[in-house]
Amino acid sequence: MQRRTGQRRIGQKLIGGALAACIAPGAGAAAAEEVGKVGVDWVGNDIIVEAIKDPKIDGVTCHVSYFDRSVIDRLHKGNWFEDPSDSSISCRQTGPITIGDIDMSEGGEEVFKQGISLIWKKQVVNRIYDKKNETLIYLSHSRQVQDGSAKMSVTTVPLFGQNVVWTGGKPK
């Protein structure tokens, strides 16, 4: 298995280390670990599945899948420096849940980010806490400077009835 910290394979396939410097993750960002890779055609396009542990919530793991374009596909179709915005996410309790200092605002906070183009486009996972329903919501989407995409995926981790430890006390 390959351990990655928020940068897509696009950097390794196309221009190596130069791109990695442009899209390195921010401090405190979750790391992604590749746990699956499925070939989808003869030109080398793949669907990648990564496991992401929430850095502020122990006991929750998200699995994100996305399309990784091959060099042959890039040569044939052009658009060298970008992968599609499509992604899918599923998060589950994978151990005892301990919640640290998380953002309680309506927009939540960014848990994970990785580049899916040379500079402008990012795949992002945000966590939102639904206090009324005692549920963690994880939203996977792409962020672009312009022409934002409506392609997204959402999953939830219910906390109701679970033995959850809040390090700063449960919110009222």
Side-chain angles (χ1 to χ4, degrees):
M1 284 187 231
Q2 177 182 9
R3 185 87 169 151
R4 291 187 289 164
T5 56
Q7 63 193 49
R8 272 246 178 127
R9 298 166 59 102
I10 189 172
Q12 297 167 354
K13 285 185 172 185
L14 297 178
I15 53 179
L19 179 63
C22 295
I23 61 174
E33 179 181 354
E34 185 175 311
V35 296
K37 180 177 177 179
V38 177
V40 296
D41 58 26
W42 67 271
V43 297
N45 291 317
D46 297 318
I47 295 174
I48 305 296
V49 180
E50 294 179 330
I52 302 166
K53 294 198 178 284
D54 189 320
K56 292 186 178 180
I57 301 180
D58 290 337
V60 172
T61 303
C62 297
H63 290 90
V64 177
S65 64
Y66 59 87
F67 191 79
D68 188 35
R69 293 177 57 214
S70 69
V71 172
I72 295 171
D73 188 56
R74 292 173 195 280
L75 284 170
H76 177 68
K77 296 180 181 168
N79 197 4
W80 266 85
F81 301 107
E82 186 171 274
D83 277 331
S85 297
D86 301 307
S87 68
S88 179
I89 187 169
S90 181
C91 300
R92 297 292 184 267
Q93 179 178 355
T94 55
I97 295 179
T98 302
I99 301 177
D101 182 27
I102 63 171
D103 187 331
M104 297 289 187
S105 69
E106 186 176 276
E109 68 185 292
E110 199 171 88
V111 174
F112 175 76
K113 173 175 62 179
Q114 68 182 351
I116 56 176
S117 76
L118 183 58
I119 298 173
W120 306 113
K121 189 161 101 173
K122 307 275 186 225
Q123 175 192 6
V124 180
V125 174
N126 287 81
R127 178 200 339 95
I128 300 167
Y129 177 60
D130 177 354
K131 187 165 96 172
K132 180 179 177 186
N133 295 298
E134 293 186 68
T135 301
L136 297 169
I137 302 166
Y138 290 87
L139 171 69
S140 178
H141 63 97
S142 67
R143 179 181 306 134
Q144 301 178 59
V145 175
Q146 64 181 28
D147 299 325
S149 173
K151 297 175 180 178
M152 70 195 92
S153 183
V154 67
T155 187
T156 62
V157 177
L159 302 177
F160 180 79
Q162 300 294 325
N163 184 17
V164 176
V165 175
W166 293 81
T167 59
K170 186 175 179 178
K172 302 287 181 213

